[in-house]
């Protein structure tokens, strides 16, 4: 009886110590990956042209994540991806319009591929 109790206590201690481990890419509690925003590729950006209408841009890029409240002529496409225990990936694209037409844009370096639906295939830095 005493041996079973000692074995049970040892096993419990071992399991609890394993739960507190943060080594590797797994640990407890479970921390999910966070993915938000618009995934825009270099190919999509290469198709953007000055003079395109807002409707054409929305068809090409999707709906913007943010439309400036004070200036509806500034659209922002942002992307954020954070895997547990890794640095986040952040990308931004800002498009400026005048008279409903594209006049300029600024962008971070964008990927040249689409991610898989489950997030696999996303580059890790």
């Amino acid at each position: 009886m005493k041996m079973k109790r000692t074995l049970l206590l040892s096993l419990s201690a071992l399991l609890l110590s394993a739960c507190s481990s943060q080594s590797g890419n797994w640990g407890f509690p479970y921390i999910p990956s966070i993915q938000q925003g618009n995934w825009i590729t270099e190919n999509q950006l290469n198709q953007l042209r000055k003079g395109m209408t807002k409707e054409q841009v929305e068809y090409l890029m999707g709906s913007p994540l943010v439309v400036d409240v004070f200036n509806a002529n500034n659209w922002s496409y942002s992307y954020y991806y954070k895997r547990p225990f890794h640095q986040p990936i952040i990308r931004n694209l800002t498009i400026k319009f005048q008279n409903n037409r594209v006049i300029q844009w600024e962008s971070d370096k964008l990927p040249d591929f689409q991610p898989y639906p489950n997030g696999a295939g996303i580059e890790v830095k």
Side-chain angles (χ1 to χ4, degrees):
M1 179 75 166
K2 188 174 182 181
M3 187 172 177
K4 283 185 183 180
R5 187 172 164 191
T6 304
L7 183 60
L8 184 61
L9 286 174
S10 298
L11 185 57
S12 297
L14 180 65
L15 287 174
L16 286 175
S17 66
C19 290
S20 66
S21 172
Q22 291 292 327
S23 63
N25 288 338
W26 66 275
F28 294 95
Y30 171 71
I31 302 172
S33 297
I34 299 171
Q35 181 173 334
Q36 298 175 321
N38 304 78
W39 182 275
I40 305 290
T41 65
E42 192 70 36
N43 184 38
Q44 288 171 289
L45 186 63
N46 290 339
Q47 294 178 49
L48 189 63
R49 301 282 182 261
K50 287 186 177 182
M52 291 177 83
T53 65
K54 288 181 179 181
E55 291 80 17
Q56 290 171 318
V57 172
E58 191 168 8
Y59 180 78
L60 177 64
M61 306 283 187
S63 299
L65 186 64
V66 177
V67 176
D68 190 330
V69 177
F70 299 106
N71 185 355
N73 289 318
N74 290 346
W75 285 10
S76 294
Y77 291 87
S78 297
Y79 177 77
Y80 176 90
Y81 180 69
K82 172 72 171 98
R83 287 181 22 183
F85 313 108
H86 290 84
Q87 293 295 318
I89 298 170
I90 302 170
R91 294 189 187 94
N92 294 297
L93 165 64
T94 302
I95 303 174
K96 296 184 181 189
F97 297 89
Q98 186 175 39
N99 298 324
N100 197 39
R101 302 283 180 171
V102 173
I103 58 171
Q104 73 180 55
W105 61 88
E106 293 179 21
S107 172
D108 294 337
K109 172 99 173 88
L110 298 174
D112 58 356
F113 60 92
Q114 285 288 348
Y116 297 109
N118 65 358
I122 293 176
E123 69 208 31
V124 178
K125 294 183 179 183

